Amino acid sequence: MTEEVASVGWDAIDEEMTKIYGQQEPKHYGTYLPYALGGPDPLDGISAYKAEKPVPHWHFVTYGFSELYDKESENLEDSGYGFELTFRLIRGEGEEEPPAWALNLLQNMGRYVFNSGNVFRAGDYLDANGPICLDADTELTALAFVQDPDLAEIDTPNGRVQFLQMVGITGDELESMQTWNTLGVLAAGFPYIPSYMTDLERTSLLQIPAVSEAIRQGAEEEGSNTGLLYVSQLAWEPGKKGWFSKTPATLQLGAKQAEIIGKLLLGRIRKGNRLRLIGADIQVIFEPGEKPGFVSEEDEVRIVLDDPTTVEMSKNLLPKESKFEIAGLAGISIQILKTNITDSDGNVVKVIG
């Protein structure tokens, strides 16, 4: 078998990049020791192209989420995970080498996918819980994913491959994506972040009145597109019956995510949609209904809310320690716990609540 045939997936990616950049030789960063053999980097390689329009920037593309060589998976429609990541980063004047942090970030995305099995799709978002460039003075603390505007989905001998572009976003932009939808927020901001460019120095798109108003209208008309949220602090303590008293069941949430959960409830329940919270040991499902109540099982709790109960709960879900009950929802108390934000070494760097 020739080398060309053996790398048909890799060659297909190169062909698409050549359509944009011609014979430009990219900066390429390969992996010497494969991840499967104990190497630190899951991706086989990352290429960085010098792009000049609409402004000078680096255009990164990964090699490794899709099947680059022989077909190994049983999924005949998709190549590997079915995508490769791209990333556009503002290039400084005279900058001849792409910054190492961007390469590390892409490899970290590889570790997340390879270790968890969770894949990215256009419209997804990911909270980085801190600057996307460690130790940088930037407001960009999360990532969103959108179809690369210059790279369409391709069919390779190993299956389909999408090019998903990773976009650095601010905390309030992330919240807007959660309470409305990712692609709507990015589309509203596109004139101000052309080609979905990541610029560590930019401020929030919500400071632009036209963008903020478009997001407000979209969320009001359509509600939230977020039907599922992974919650790091989520627990349920069943109620207890005594001879002379009854202790209500307790739903525990972390302060960091309490407020966004309240906003999501408004954007989901009042539009007739469910919201599912997924924790380590339990999932909690909020459903719209005429009569508030709940049913609890070993690893799942279903809570029915009407509009007034939804509004009251949302008002009380704030990022601070508290414990409260909702008048219209008998038998449940809700407890907000402090959230400790830690660095990569496990040191607490911030306490919320």
Side-chain angles (χ1 to χ4, degrees), residues 124-146:
D124 287 348
Y125 49 74
L126 186 68
D127 190 350
N129 291 316
I132 61 171
C133 174
L134 292 179
D135 301 323
D137 183 17
T138 179
E139 294 183 27
L140 305 185
T141 57
L143 298 162
F145 300 85
V146 65

Side-chain angles (χ1 to χ4, degrees), residues 173-245:
E173 290 165 3
L174 171 64
E175 184 175 298
S176 295
M177 291 173 182
Q178 293 172 319
T179 54
W180 182 25
N181 70 74
T182 301
L183 300 182
V185 173
L186 289 176
F190 190 76
Y192 308 95
I193 49 170
S195 296
Y196 301 118
M197 199 85 59
T198 293
D199 180 357
L200 292 178
E201 297 182 1
R202 77 169 178 86
T203 55
S204 171
L205 293 170
L206 273 73
Q207 294 186 17
I208 303 170
V211 176
S212 181
E213 178 60 18
I215 293 172
R216 186 196 67 78
Q217 287 186 3
E220 185 175 304
E221 293 172 4
E222 301 173 14
S224 171
N225 200 43
T226 302
L228 184 151
L229 187 69
Y230 289 97
V231 181
S232 56
Q233 291 174 274
L234 181 66
W236 175 263
E237 294 182 355
K240 298 179 181 179
K241 293 183 180 180
W243 286 103
F244 304 105
S245 64

Side-chain angles (χ1 to χ4, degrees), residues 292 306 308-310 312-313 316 324-334:
D306 60 9
T309 306
T310 300
E312 184 181 352
M313 182 177 290
N316 284 277
F324 58 90
E325 296 183 20
I326 303 298
L329 189 61
I332 295 181
S333 66
I334 299 172

Side-chain angles (χ1 to χ4, degrees), residues 258 311-318 322 324-326 336:
V311 172
E312 184 181 352
M313 182 177 290
S314 178
K315 287 180 179 178
N316 284 277
L317 288 174
L318 301 173
S322 65
F324 58 90
E325 296 183 20
I326 303 298
I336 309 299

Side-chain angles (χ1 to χ4, degrees), residues 33-351:
L33 182 63
Y35 198 58
L37 298 180
D41 298 325
L43 302 177
D44 285 35
I46 302 170
S47 284
Y49 290 82
K50 274 188 174 182
E52 303 301 332
K53 295 180 179 180
V55 296
H57 66 278
W58 294 106
H59 190 184
F60 298 86
V61 62
T62 64
Y63 296 79
F65 290 104
S66 62
E67 291 169 288
L68 304 174
Y69 312 105
D70 294 333
K71 180 68 179 177
E72 296 181 358
S73 71
E74 296 180 359
N75 182 349
L76 301 181
E77 293 186 359
D78 293 327
S79 175
Y81 290 109
F83 69 91
E84 291 291 350
L85 288 180
T86 70
F87 186 50
R88 297 174 190 263
L89 180 66
I90 292 289
R91 192 174 82 244
E93 185 176 353
E95 191 172 86
E96 295 299 324
E97 294 287 338
W101 72 263
L103 301 170
N104 291 333
L105 179 61
L106 288 164
Q107 288 287 4
N108 281 336
M109 293 302 102
R111 293 183 189 97
Y112 170 78
V113 172
F114 279 56
N115 293 336
S116 70
N118 298 329
V119 299
F120 297 119
R121 293 287 182 261
D124 287 348
Y125 49 74
L126 186 68
D127 190 350
N129 291 316
I132 61 171
C133 174
L134 292 179
D135 301 323
D137 183 17
T138 179
E139 294 183 27
L140 305 185
T141 57
L143 298 162
F145 300 85
V146 65
Q147 181 75 39
D148 188 298
D150 292 333
L151 291 165
E153 180 181 292
I154 61 174
D155 288 315
T156 77
N158 292 333
R160 294 176 304 194
V161 178
Q162 288 185 323
F163 293 94
L164 293 181
Q165 185 169 319
M166 200 166 63
V167 188
I169 57 173
T170 65
D172 57 354
E173 290 165 3
L174 171 64
E175 184 175 298
S176 295
M177 291 173 182
Q178 293 172 319
T179 54
W180 182 25
N181 70 74
T182 301
L183 300 182
V185 173
L186 289 176
F190 190 76
Y192 308 95
I193 49 170
S195 296
Y196 301 118
M197 199 85 59
T198 293
D199 180 357
L200 292 178
E201 297 182 1
R202 77 169 178 86
T203 55
S204 171
L205 293 170
L206 273 73
Q207 294 186 17
I208 303 170
V211 176
S212 181
E213 178 60 18
I215 293 172
R216 186 196 67 78
Q217 287 186 3
E220 185 175 304
E221 293 172 4
E222 301 173 14
S224 171
N225 200 43
T226 302
L228 184 151
L229 187 69
Y230 289 97
V231 181
S232 56
Q233 291 174 274
L234 181 66
W236 175 263
E237 294 182 355
K240 298 179 181 179
K241 293 183 180 180
W243 286 103
F244 304 105
S245 64
K246 181 179 179 181
T247 303
T250 302
L251 173 63
Q252 294 181 337
L253 300 168
K256 182 180 188 297
Q257 292 178 296
E259 188 171 19
I260 189 60
I261 290 170
K263 292 180 178 180
L264 288 177
L265 286 173
L266 290 176
R268 296 290 295 179
I269 301 299
R270 299 178 74 189
K271 294 294 182 179
N273 298 313
R274 304 193 314 171
L275 174 65
R276 183 189 299 265
L277 306 181
I278 305 293
D281 302 311
I282 196 169
Q283 61 176 331
V284 178
I285 302 169
F286 293 95
E287 299 178 334
E290 295 182 359
K291 185 178 180 180
F294 72 95
V295 176
S296 64
E297 299 176 357
E298 184 176 350
D299 57 357
E300 180 179 287
V301 179
R302 291 180 177 268
I303 301 175
V304 177
L305 303 176
D306 60 9
D307 278 7
T309 306
T310 300
V311 172
E312 184 181 352
M313 182 177 290
S314 178
K315 287 180 179 178
N316 284 277
L317 288 174
L318 301 173
K320 62 181 181 181
E321 269 192 313
S322 65
K323 190 170 185 178
F324 58 90
E325 296 183 20
I326 303 298
L329 189 61
I332 295 181
S333 66
I334 299 172
Q335 185 176 14
I336 309 299
L337 305 173
K338 286 183 179 180
T339 299
N340 293 327
I341 305 298
T342 59
D343 59 20
S344 57
D345 296 322
N347 300 311
V348 176
V349 295
K350 183 179 180 181
V351 178

